[in-house]
Amino acid sequence: QFHKDGFLVLEQFFSAEECDSMRSQIQRIVAEMEVPPHCRTSFSTREEEQLQAQGSSDYFLTSGDKIRFFFEKGVLDEKGNFLIPKEKSVSKIGHALHAYDPVFKQITHSPKVQELGRKLGLERPVVVQSMYIFKSLIAVTPHQDATFLHTEPLGRILGFWIALEDATQENGCLWFIPGSHTNGITRRMVRAASGASTCVEFVGSEPAYNDNQFIPLPISKGGLILIHGEVVHKSELNSSESSRHAFTFHVMEAKGTTWSKENWLQPTPELPFPSLYT
């Protein structure tokens, strides 16, 4: 089913207790959050805003081996001070929770995740990045993860998306185009040449997708969605009163695979990509 559709829903993969432990841990992390005003970067999935907000920011480019905070639009004043309570201002926290936080590290490398990797035939999977996503108002435009995490050959990136609360059509569940992982990719986000006005740029363009092609994937708390690196997916804005927290991480099959030197995310001497298998 996964190879046919490019995604797979596994309900009740994690327990309610495991989900609650992640949410409690993130509350502690946000409570202790101290972000220098000049580093306060808002997160966006719109291409022009991505280039401006993230591309011009070393804070984003050097976040692969750190735990860093990315904020919703409009929650900071010109001086970088919060206009709303800071726990409601964060869009996502990334990109190395799996390496540096004990709770998220335990979830990422849990025996059932490792067993799932083996069932999928992964021989040398490594964890490349992780994110805690708060999902408030913004919609996430249609995209393929391999646009941002490029490998040679393609087909070596796998996303694990864990619902920490029920994800419904009202609060912004994921939508997918079944089978769209078989068509390659048409767009890449790459590091720009030195001296460019932004640190990253897009090569190629995202085609226009027909809304009718997408199917929604509502999923209950504790459910896991496996996401092929080239499957097209999106989420609509959260139009409900309820939040939709998720923890997601990406794995690469390292055997016979080259990680693109042009990717925004690069392994570092401090944090080479850790093996999924322990």
Side-chain angles (χ1 to χ4, degrees):
Q1 192 71 36
F2 172 73
H3 291 301
K4 174 173 160 283
D5 290 337
F7 58 85
L8 185 67
V9 176
L10 299 169
E11 288 280 10
Q12 299 176 323
F13 193 83
F14 290 96
S15 67
E17 293 75 27
E18 287 171 313
C19 294
D20 293 343
S21 74
M22 287 187 268
R23 292 200 61 194
S24 300
Q25 186 70 350
I26 221 72
Q27 284 174 337
R28 285 192 284 273
I29 289 172
V30 170
E32 295 166 8
M33 168 177 76
E34 284 300 331
V35 185
H38 72 276
C39 288
R40 289 176 175 171
T41 302
S42 56
F43 174 70
S44 171
T45 62
R46 296 193 178 278
E47 185 166 314
E48 305 77 26
E49 292 171 0
Q50 273 183 332
L51 293 176
Q52 286 308 316
Q54 293 172 194
S56 57
S57 171
D58 279 343
Y59 187 74
F60 169 71
L61 276 189
T62 58
S63 63
D65 61 354
K66 299 175 184 69
I67 296 173
R68 287 192 164 165
F69 304 91
F70 300 88
F71 301 99
E72 298 286 358
K73 285 175 66 179
V75 301
L76 303 166
D77 64 17
E78 295 81 33
K79 295 179 180 169
N81 298 311
F82 292 107
L83 298 170
I84 63 173
K86 67 178 181 179
E87 63 273 11
K88 293 188 174 169
S89 66
V90 185
S91 167
K92 68 169 191 169
I93 298 175
H95 289 91
L97 286 162
H98 63 280
Y100 296 130
D101 182 273
V103 172
F104 292 99
K105 187 174 189 175
Q106 187 177 4
I107 291 289
T108 303
H109 296 279
S110 59
K112 51 195 168 189
V113 169
Q114 296 190 43
E115 183 193 357
L116 184 55
R118 291 191 170 96
K119 283 181 174 172
L120 288 163
L122 300 178
E123 293 185 56
R124 283 205 294 125
V126 295
V127 186
V128 298
Q129 65 119 13
S130 56
M131 290 184 289
Y132 191 101
I133 302 170
F134 291 82
K135 186 59 182 176
S136 55
L137 294 173
I138 59 171
V140 176
T141 50
H143 67 283
Q144 299 163 290
D145 292 344
T147 286
F148 307 94
L149 308 171
H150 191 264
T151 61
E152 297 279 346
L154 286 171
R156 301 303 173 90
I157 292 291
L158 176 64
F160 291 73
W161 192 96
I162 305 160
L164 305 185
E165 304 175 276
D166 292 349
T168 64
Q169 288 197 44
E170 291 69 43
N171 74 358
C173 71
L174 299 182
W175 295 66
F176 288 81
I177 301 180
S180 56
H181 61 299
T182 59
N183 301 325
I185 60 170
T186 59
R187 184 175 73 134
R188 286 182 57 193
M189 187 170 90
V190 299
R191 288 183 172 236
S194 59
S197 59
T198 57
C199 293
V200 291
E201 60 192 12
F202 283 97
V203 178
S205 59
E206 199 71 51
Y209 298 107
N210 186 332
D211 280 347
N212 299 334
Q213 296 175 278
F214 287 90
I215 63 165
L217 255 59
I219 189 167
S220 303
K221 176 179 177 176
L224 169 69
I225 302 178
L226 282 176
I227 304 174
H228 189 287
E230 281 101 78
V231 74
V232 179
H233 58 291
K234 66 174 182 175
S235 66
E236 299 298 341
L237 55 82
N238 182 352
S239 58
S240 74
E241 295 295 309
S242 59
S243 55
R244 191 226 70 181
H245 290 203
F247 176 59
T248 177
F249 58 93
H250 284 90
V251 164
M252 173 180 74
E253 169 60 270
K255 185 180 180 184
T257 307
T258 305
W259 180 258
S260 174
K261 292 271 191 288
E262 295 182 314
N263 286 338
W264 71 268
L265 175 77
Q266 295 295 328
T268 63
E270 295 75 28
L271 183 62
F273 294 151
S275 171
L276 180 67
Y277 301 149
T278 52

